[in-house]
Amino acid sequence: MTKTIRYTADVVCIRGGDVLLIERGWPPHKGQLALPGGHVDPGETSRAAAARELLEETGIGVDPWDLELIGVYDAPGRDPRGRYVTAAYMVAVPDGITAQAGDDAAAVRWVPLDNARGLAFDHTDIVTTARHRHHGPF
């Protein structure tokens, strides 16, 4: 029996000392905070998908090449819908930039990096890795 593996991309978007989180508008984890992200479309790279998802869900546009890969997350059971593998990226945006909920995000909010806990999926681990991998202030 073969299992379908789904490919996604997530973004740790940093402004000053805050990380941008979305409130999930759909199951699984409806109503929980998570990183912006979603499925990689056919013919698309994970980097391009990460930039597209960030724009669709938060209104923040970034150049895909400004996204820094922080890791691939593929632990079995990380998503209740089945086997999902995500490429997680990090990007810093200017202090004055604002975000607006769109696509499947019910809301967006900037949360202090140190308070980004209890997130949907394994997104707390992704944020922690991004914080440790970044050298210098965000």
Side-chain angles (χ1 to χ4, degrees):
M1 179 175 159
T2 60
K3 272 191 167 178
T4 300
I5 297 175
R6 291 170 179 87
Y7 190 30
T8 60
D10 295 307
V11 182
V12 178
C13 182
I14 305 295
R15 181 186 73 181
D18 296 335
V19 61
L20 180 59
L21 301 174
I22 64 159
E23 180 183 324
R24 288 188 52 84
W26 305 101
H29 305 296
K30 181 178 180 179
Q32 276 193 274
L33 294 178
L35 294 169
H39 292 92
V40 177
D41 289 339
E44 186 177 47
T45 65
S46 61
R47 185 181 302 275
R52 175 183 52 76
E53 289 286 346
L54 181 63
L55 180 62
E56 288 175 359
E57 293 184 353
T58 71
I60 295 177
V62 298
D63 185 319
W65 290 106
D66 288 339
L67 294 166
E68 176 186 346
L69 180 67
I70 56 171
V72 174
Y73 293 78
D74 63 355
R78 65 176 297 274
D79 191 307
R81 297 170 290 187
R83 189 69 195 265
Y84 277 75
V85 175
T86 197
Y89 293 89
M90 177 174 62
V91 67
V93 296
D95 278 344
I97 204 157
T98 59
Q100 182 174 344
D103 198 21
D104 58 354
V108 294
R109 62 181 78 139
W110 295 98
V111 174
L113 271 167
D114 292 338
N115 293 342
R117 295 185 190 94
L119 306 180
F121 309 104
D122 55 358
H123 291 184
T124 301
D125 295 338
I126 294 171
V127 170
T128 300
T129 300
R131 194 172 68 239
H132 288 14
R133 288 221 177 148
H134 191 296
H135 304 291
F138 279 108

